[in-house]
Amino acid sequence: MSWTSHTLLTLIAQAGENGLRVNHLAEQAGLTRAAVDSAMERLRNRGLIYRAPGAQTGYTLTDAGRGLLAAGKLLKSGPKGGHTGPRASTPGARSRIWNAMRIRIKFTADELAVLANTGPENVRKFLNGLARVDYVRPMARREAPGNPSSNGRVRWALVRDTGPAAPAVNLEKGVVFDHNTGERLAMADPVPEPSRKPRG
Amino acid sequence: MKKQFVKTANYERFQAAIRAVDARGAPEAGWLLVAGDPARGKSTIVDQWAVATGAVYLRGKEQWTPHFFLSELAEKLAVDDSGRAKDRFQRVVAKIGHEQTPIVVDEVQHALRDSAAVLEVLRDITDLTESVAVLVAGVENVQKKLERPQFKQIASRIFDRVEFAANSAEDTALACRELAEVELADDLVNEIHRQSAGLMRGIVNALSKVEAHAGRNKLARVGLADMAGKELIADWRSLRRAMGSHQ
């Protein structure tokens, strides 16, 4: 690990659960703000530190950050070994679905499919995975049905927006990897269907 | 019913305006104002463009101040929003400028308070980054307000204005063709257009009922006579009243 990165990780670890803000880190480390910004960006990109958007608290270590510090491993530049982790967030259909979710906040699977120009099955799988890690929740009231034989579609709400990168949902392995926070989340049991009471 | 995006005349107008903004001569005049009555497809078309381009999307709020606006922008971009306003502004500009991220501001009327202080911040950002900004007016008269002398600097950033009109009969026919799983006769398409007043919500509603009827009666093609006595759009009179006028 470079001296700067190691120093910053150590200071953040010592700060505990409230974490440290960048200004305080620069002061305590005796570094310029620009040097700290640059190092923090690398640490963020590697999923070693996290700060919730809009949070009043400072940066804290992720599990990966704590693990690295505990192991005393070095953070080196260059290739980082074989790729065994989650796939990088790419500008594909899931990324478009995630963008559409962040724009609409409340939505049906069909609305997302139209906005993201992808198949409804892909949207449903993505929503299913995100619901099982409590990123989205089905709303109590369904969409008003278009005809008498329909119950109306399930409406969903985005309840955890961690940033612009779409979380990677792997239903087979039962995990969601959040590229914004560096968290790997295990899925809970499938979310039950909401009531069949349509909106309005 | 098929789930797909219908490229109506409003969509084509919006896309043409975006292409013109992209090819503009003055880099700082990169704003597009989108206006039109409710339920004419502004949100769907602008949102679809925002999703496709990875634009950062903000919905105007009554409580918006320049500080609130910049914090929300930083949060959406996942940029560190701590520290002084100057630092936060520079980080936002660096992120947007580097990726040339377009910005969408929906319900832009909320950004007009306090001499449009929020739009002044947006102007600073787009002047520095040369990014495209799409402003969506949720109410009438936004452009008239921006034409006041005190907003001259801001108004000069608006490259073009797209007014969303009610869908034409051709748009309704296109939607019926692209969305319906069954074939619709011309007389039924015309009736759907009349009752829906060109509102996409009404068209979709009617298609859903036509498809359900066709499924029950095993019809591959449905005409107006097949739907005799059936309601195509629930409470379509109030739908038309909500529109105010019918073309």
Side-chain angles (χ1 to χ4, degrees), chain B:
Chain B
M1 199 176 331
K2 296 171 204 161
K3 308 300 173 202
Q4 65 183 66
F5 188 78
V6 182
K7 295 179 177 175
T8 59
N10 282 329
Y11 169 83
E12 299 295 351
R13 267 198 300 278
F14 176 75
Q15 286 295 330
I18 287 288
R19 283 195 294 274
V21 172
D22 280 338
R24 68 195 182 276
E28 69 278 8
W31 292 11
L32 189 66
L33 180 63
V34 174
D37 287 342
R40 289 190 171 176
K42 293 195 299 291
S43 291
T44 304
I45 289 171
V46 173
D47 290 0
Q48 193 262 358
W49 175 79
V51 166
T53 57
V56 56
Y57 181 99
L58 300 171
R59 187 171 286 109
K61 292 167 189 66
E62 182 62 36
Q63 306 86 352
W64 254 7
T65 60
H67 176 84
F68 186 175
F69 168 76
L70 201 55
S71 286
E72 199 175 336
L73 189 54
E75 187 182 320
K76 291 281 183 188
L77 292 164
V79 165
D80 179 9
D81 70 343
S82 65
R84 294 175 300 172
K86 181 184 158 197
D87 296 330
R88 187 166 54 233
F89 179 82
Q90 282 175 346
R91 287 193 289 269
V92 165
V93 165
K95 178 86 172 176
I96 290 177
H98 176 63
E99 296 171 6
Q100 290 277 291
T101 313
I103 304 168
V104 175
V105 181
D106 197 1
E107 306 288 348
V108 72
Q109 66 275 10
H110 294 307
L112 299 177
R113 290 173 52 231
D114 298 331
S115 306
V118 168
L119 287 187
E120 291 287 1
V121 178
L122 180 66
R123 181 169 70 89
D124 287 338
I125 292 169
T126 56
D127 278 5
L128 288 167
T129 61
E130 300 181 7
S131 292
V132 170
V134 174
L135 314 182
V136 185
V139 294
E140 292 176 10
N141 296 329
V142 167
Q143 187 169 17
K144 275 189 180 170
K145 284 181 184 168
L146 287 173
E147 283 168 358
R148 289 175 189 166
Q150 69 264 36
F151 297 143
K152 193 176 165 188
Q153 282 284 74
I154 291 174
S156 69
R157 266 55 182 180
I158 299 176
F159 178 84
D160 200 0
R161 176 179 197 260
V162 183
E163 177 79 33
F164 274 51
N167 285 320
S168 64
E170 288 76 24
D171 288 329
T172 303
L174 178 70
C176 291
R177 236 181 1 258
E178 295 203 343
L179 299 180
E181 303 271 10
V182 293
E183 191 185 342
L184 272 67
D186 289 347
D187 56 358
L188 181 55
V189 172
N190 290 340
E191 182 59 17
I192 289 173
H193 181 67
R194 189 183 73 79
Q195 291 195 21
S196 67
L199 289 183
M200 194 57 79
R201 192 189 310 152
I203 297 168
V204 169
N205 200 299
L207 290 179
S208 171
K209 291 188 177 170
V210 169
E211 284 185 352
H213 181 72
R216 277 195 298 274
N217 296 284
K218 298 190 171 27
L219 300 173
R221 188 172 194 274
V222 188
L224 188 56
D226 296 313
M227 297 300 291
K230 305 266 183 248
E231 188 182 44
L232 279 172
I233 300 172
D235 199 16
W236 57 272
R237 290 174 189 82
S238 68
L239 199 65
R240 285 181 60 182
R241 275 198 300 276
M243 278 292 295
S245 63
H246 177 45
Q247 58 187 345

Side-chain angles (χ1 to χ4, degrees), chain A residues 61-84:
Chain A
L61 296 187
T62 62
D63 289 344
R66 276 188 287 275
L68 189 83
L69 203 57
K73 286 184 183 169
L74 295 181
L75 191 67
K76 295 175 183 170
S77 59
K80 299 164 190 71
H83 185 77
T84 56

Side-chain angles (χ1 to χ4, degrees), chain A residues 23 28 69 84 91 133 140 150 161:
Chain A
N23 283 346
Q28 293 185 23
L69 203 57
T84 56
V133 291
S150 166
D161 176 3

Side-chain angles (χ1 to χ4, degrees), chain A residues 89-102 116 122 126 164-167, chain B residues 51 54:
Chain A
S89 178
T90 52
R94 295 259 168 120
S95 179
R96 293 197 301 275
I97 299 169
W98 179 247
N99 283 348
M101 289 164 66
R102 296 184 80 216
N122 189 16
F126 192 51
Chain B
V51 166

Side-chain angles (χ1 to χ4, degrees), chain A residues 22 50 53 59 90 116 130 134 136 138 156-157 176:
Chain A
V22 175
Y50 176 65
Y59 280 95
T90 52
L130 292 180
D134 204 27
V136 294
W156 296 86
V176 171

